[in-house]
């Protein structure tokens, strides 16, 4: 019996969805940096797709926003046109999220009906779909934290939201590469211990970056490599218990993010070298290129006082680095196999 499985087509589709997730991360970064995330104060998964279409609807949306802390404590007196500017980015972020959901669910259903999904991949694809749905709920859970007393989203929830997005991105890339290997009659890859360590250290660095963004910690010291002229700045107000400083203290979070980066960088270089030796391909070189760009952008983000375009580029390259590092980890788990 002739197989109807289409691993190449499914892999290509997953890469397209991964590119959309990357775009979502970039738009999410802009939304955060322009402080647009609290402009939509209701979660309406279906009706929320339609934006305000006339003056009356815009005024109603604006009045709803005025009832919440961000307007009352930060943006009191802003004009309707200024509100529309921040509304745009949050609206785009939410609509793009819904579009990604459809871009995953509808082709998945088509491939399923056509019996095009290779054996063993259905549970993984369903898990990715479920994670996408959960991400929407996490997004609202994050926004809701800024609609109560504090006119800002909770930085820990922001970190969960970003981390989940990049975990989905990694899952899409890994599955696409497994399917490409399947198309060539090769077995699936596996995560080596070293790859797990490297990806975990990279994940910690990204979570720390989300903490920096959520706490506005990037503004604490606009200099590098020192902070206040010292390796560790003077006059830090310590929180109790001590562990909270790595999560909640802007100065300490920025300091840890600065220096944990070098641990992540060292492991990523080793991952690149090992993968190049074991399986070759373009991913190892891409990791080194992106890592260099990310270090430069991280320093530039500080020195420019978190300039919008630089900070957005920093987050974008972080997402691309996750993509490339995942590809490297996949190659390392398949010694002698060069991904075509």
């Amino acid at each position: 019996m002739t197989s109807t499985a289409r691993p190449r087509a499914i892999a290509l589709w997953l890469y397209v969805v991964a590119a959309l997730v990357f775009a979502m991360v970039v738009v999410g970064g802009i939304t955060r940096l322009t402080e647009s995330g609290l402009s939509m104060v209701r979660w309406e998964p279906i009706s929320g797709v339609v934006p305000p279409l006339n003056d009356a609807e815009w005024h109603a949306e604006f009045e709803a926003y005025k009832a919440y802390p961000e307007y009352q404590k930060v943006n009191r007196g802003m004009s309707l046109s200024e509100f529309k500017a921040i509304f745009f980015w949050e609206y785009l972020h939410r609509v793009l999220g819904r579009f990604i959901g459809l871009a995953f669910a509808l082709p998945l259903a088509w491939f399923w009906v056509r019996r095009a999904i290779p054996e063993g991949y259905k549970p993984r694809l369903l898990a990715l779909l479920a994670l996408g749905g959960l991400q929407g709920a996490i997004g609202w859970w994050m926004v809701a934290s800024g609609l109560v007393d504090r006119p800002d989203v909770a930085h820990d929830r922001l970190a969960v939201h970003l981390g989940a997005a990049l975990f989905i991105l990694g899952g899409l890339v890994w599955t696409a590469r497994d399917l490409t290997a399947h198309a060539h009659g090769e077995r699936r890859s596996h995560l080596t211990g070293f790859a797990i360590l490297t990806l975990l250290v990279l994940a910690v660095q990204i979570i720390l970056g989300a903490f920096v963004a959520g706490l506005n910690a990037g503004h604490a010291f606009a200099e590098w490599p020192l902070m206040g002229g010292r390796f560790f700045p003077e006059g830090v107000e310590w929180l109790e218990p001590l562990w909270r400083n790595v999560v909640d203290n802007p100065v300490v979070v920025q300091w840890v993010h600065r220096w944990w980066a070098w641990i992540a960088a060292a492991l990523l270089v080793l991952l690149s070298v090992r993968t190049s030796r074991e399986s070759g391909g373009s991913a190892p070189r891409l990791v080194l290129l992106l890592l260099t760009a990310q270090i430069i952008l991280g320093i530039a983000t500080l020195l420019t006082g978190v300039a919008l375009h630089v900070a957005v580029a920093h987050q974008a390259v972080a997402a691309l680095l996750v993509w490339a590092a995942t590809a490297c980890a996949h190659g390392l788990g398949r010694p002698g196999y060069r991904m075509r």
Side-chain angles (χ1 to χ4, degrees), residues 37-38 40-41 90 94 138-147 153:
L38 298 177
M40 296 178 70
V41 296
E90 177 64 9
R94 295 194 190 191
I138 292 172
W140 176 248
W141 174 65
M142 176 189 70
V143 170
S145 68
L147 299 177
V153 299

Side-chain angles (χ1 to χ4, degrees), residues 32 35 38 70 142 145-147 150-154 213-216:
R32 169 61 196 167
E35 299 185 350
L38 298 177
E70 185 173 74
M142 176 189 70
S145 68
L147 299 177
R150 182 171 171 263
D152 209 352
V153 299
L215 292 167
N216 295 315

Side-chain angles (χ1 to χ4, degrees), residues 41-57:
V41 296
R42 294 182 293 269
W43 189 33
E44 299 168 328
I46 305 300
S47 60
V49 175
V50 181
L53 299 175
N54 53 52
D55 285 344
E57 291 179 0

Side-chain angles (χ1 to χ4, degrees), residues 257-273:
H257 184 57
R258 286 174 176 230
W259 299 107
W260 186 265
W262 298 105
I263 299 174
L267 288 174
L268 286 167
V269 169
L270 287 175
L271 176 66
S272 174
V273 171

Side-chain angles (χ1 to χ4, degrees), residues 149-229:
D149 299 314
R150 182 171 171 263
D152 209 352
V153 299
H155 62 285
D156 52 348
R157 299 189 188 189
L158 173 66
V160 172
H161 192 46
L162 177 61
L166 295 178
F167 182 81
I168 292 170
L169 177 65
L172 290 166
V173 172
W174 185 279
T175 304
R177 291 179 71 86
D178 265 354
L179 284 161
T180 302
H182 180 91
H184 293 122
E186 300 286 341
R187 60 182 175 81
R188 302 175 188 177
S189 184
H190 69 280
L191 275 170
T192 66
F194 179 72
I196 291 173
L197 173 64
T198 303
L199 293 175
L200 284 176
V201 169
L202 177 59
V204 169
Q205 176 65 1
I206 289 170
I207 294 302
L208 287 167
F211 288 166
V212 169
L215 292 167
N216 295 315
H219 297 281
F221 289 92
E223 58 181 298
W224 188 89
L226 303 179
M227 298 174 69

Side-chain angles (χ1 to χ4, degrees), residues 72-335:
Q72 297 166 359
K73 297 181 180 181
V74 179
N75 289 332
R76 180 174 291 276
M78 79 183 312
S79 66
L80 178 60
S81 62
E82 290 172 327
F83 171 70
K84 289 180 179 180
I86 63 172
F87 184 93
F88 168 79
W89 287 111
E90 177 64 9
Y91 173 75
L92 178 61
H93 189 56
R94 295 194 190 191
V95 170
L96 183 55
R98 291 169 173 84
F99 178 75
I100 292 172
L102 291 175
F104 192 92
L106 295 181
L108 174 61
W110 189 87
F111 284 125
W112 197 298
V113 170
R114 301 285 293 183
R115 298 183 178 181
I117 302 173
E119 184 178 355
Y121 283 90
K122 288 180 179 178
R124 199 190 306 187
L125 294 173
L126 287 174
L128 288 168
L129 178 64
L131 284 171
L134 178 62
Q135 177 70 330
I138 292 172
W140 176 248
W141 174 65
M142 176 189 70
V143 170
S145 68
L147 299 177
V148 185
D149 299 314
R150 182 171 171 263
D152 209 352
V153 299
H155 62 285
D156 52 348
R157 299 189 188 189
L158 173 66
V160 172
H161 192 46
L162 177 61
L166 295 178
F167 182 81
I168 292 170
L169 177 65
L172 290 166
V173 172
W174 185 279
T175 304
R177 291 179 71 86
D178 265 354
L179 284 161
T180 302
H182 180 91
H184 293 122
E186 300 286 341
R187 60 182 175 81
R188 302 175 188 177
S189 184
H190 69 280
L191 275 170
T192 66
F194 179 72
I196 291 173
L197 173 64
T198 303
L199 293 175
L200 284 176
V201 169
L202 177 59
V204 169
Q205 176 65 1
I206 289 170
I207 294 302
L208 287 167
F211 288 166
V212 169
L215 292 167
N216 295 315
H219 297 281
F221 289 92
E223 58 181 298
W224 188 89
L226 303 179
M227 298 174 69
R230 293 175 173 270
F231 176 67
F232 189 86
E234 288 185 309
V236 176
E237 297 182 6
W238 295 95
L239 303 176
E240 295 292 341
L242 194 61
W243 65 265
R244 281 190 57 210
N245 289 279
V246 182
V247 178
D248 296 326
N249 190 320
V251 173
V252 177
V253 168
Q254 190 197 118
W255 185 86
V256 176
H257 184 57
R258 286 174 176 230
W259 299 107
W260 186 265
W262 298 105
I263 299 174
L267 288 174
L268 286 167
V269 169
L270 287 175
L271 176 66
S272 174
V273 171
R274 288 191 180 186
T275 305
S276 182
R277 184 185 305 128
E278 295 289 344
S279 61
S282 59
R285 294 190 296 275
L286 189 57
V287 164
L288 295 179
L289 178 65
L290 290 169
L291 179 59
T292 302
Q294 186 68 335
I295 292 170
I296 293 171
L297 286 168
I299 296 169
T301 299
L302 291 172
L303 297 181
T304 60
V306 195
L308 176 63
H309 63 288
V310 179
V312 170
H314 189 47
Q315 180 158 314
V317 173
L320 291 175
L321 195 52
V322 168
W323 187 317
T326 300
C328 266
H330 190 278
L332 193 63
R334 298 188 52 73

